[in-house]
Amino acid sequence: MGRNLQDVIHSLPTERQAKIAALSEKKMLEMIAHAATLTDFRKAVGKTQAEVARELGIQQHAVSQLEKRTDTYVSTLRRFLQSLGMTLELSVVAQNGVRIELQNFLRSKEVDADSRDSALAAPAKPPGRRKPGVSRKRAGNT
């Protein structure tokens, strides 16, 4: 049976292992600095969609859909990034360059509680929908 990469690295001298670890860290930081999408961030930290899904308590396909979205809740984005070991910070930069932190988007216990009910769960059906051909009275909407 073949050896995996970790076996090979562990068999190297300590100095060489340290050099490999440093180069790996440098490469990861470069990838994060140039990341343009959620997929890029996930790949930069070396996680699979399945690993992120397990941490978030959702299915892998939901992570795939999240990575493709062009719009999402702040709480959903925060949870996704937390699963990668990252923190979301929101601020506004005025035209004169002044940076203003958005206080209502700072991390808090309330935000963490709200994030459990975020858009990662399947959206609820819109109210007032009924099956075609069913009258309002039969549907219970009197």
Side-chain angles (χ1 to χ4, degrees), residues 104-115:
N104 57 329
F105 286 104
L106 294 178
R107 184 181 174 135
S108 70
K109 291 177 185 173
E110 293 156 13
V111 170
D112 289 340
D114 289 345
S115 68

Side-chain angles (χ1 to χ4, degrees), residues 67-80:
E67 290 180 346
K68 293 176 186 174
R69 286 184 193 161
T70 57
D71 192 15
T72 188
Y73 288 113
V74 172
S75 58
T76 301
L77 181 57
R78 178 178 279 123
R79 283 188 65 214
F80 180 88

Side-chain angles (χ1 to χ4, degrees), residues 29-87:
L29 293 174
E30 284 177 16
M31 289 175 68
I32 290 172
H34 294 96
T37 65
L38 295 179
T39 303
D40 293 342
F41 283 117
R42 178 183 50 77
K43 288 180 177 180
V45 298
K47 288 196 175 183
T48 65
Q49 287 181 342
E51 290 169 330
V52 171
R54 266 192 303 281
E55 288 186 40
L56 295 175
I58 60 176
Q59 295 185 5
Q60 176 273 324
H61 71 85
V63 174
S64 174
Q65 290 174 346
L66 175 61
E67 290 180 346
K68 293 176 186 174
R69 286 184 193 161
T70 57
D71 192 15
T72 188
Y73 288 113
V74 172
S75 58
T76 301
L77 181 57
R78 178 178 279 123
R79 283 188 65 214
F80 180 88
L81 293 171
Q82 284 174 339
S83 76
L84 303 179
M86 299 177 172
T87 302

Side-chain angles (χ1 to χ4, degrees), residues 1-12:
M1 188 168 175
R3 299 185 310 170
N4 65 30
L5 181 59
Q6 291 302 326
D7 293 338
V8 173
I9 291 173
H10 288 310
S11 69
L12 296 172

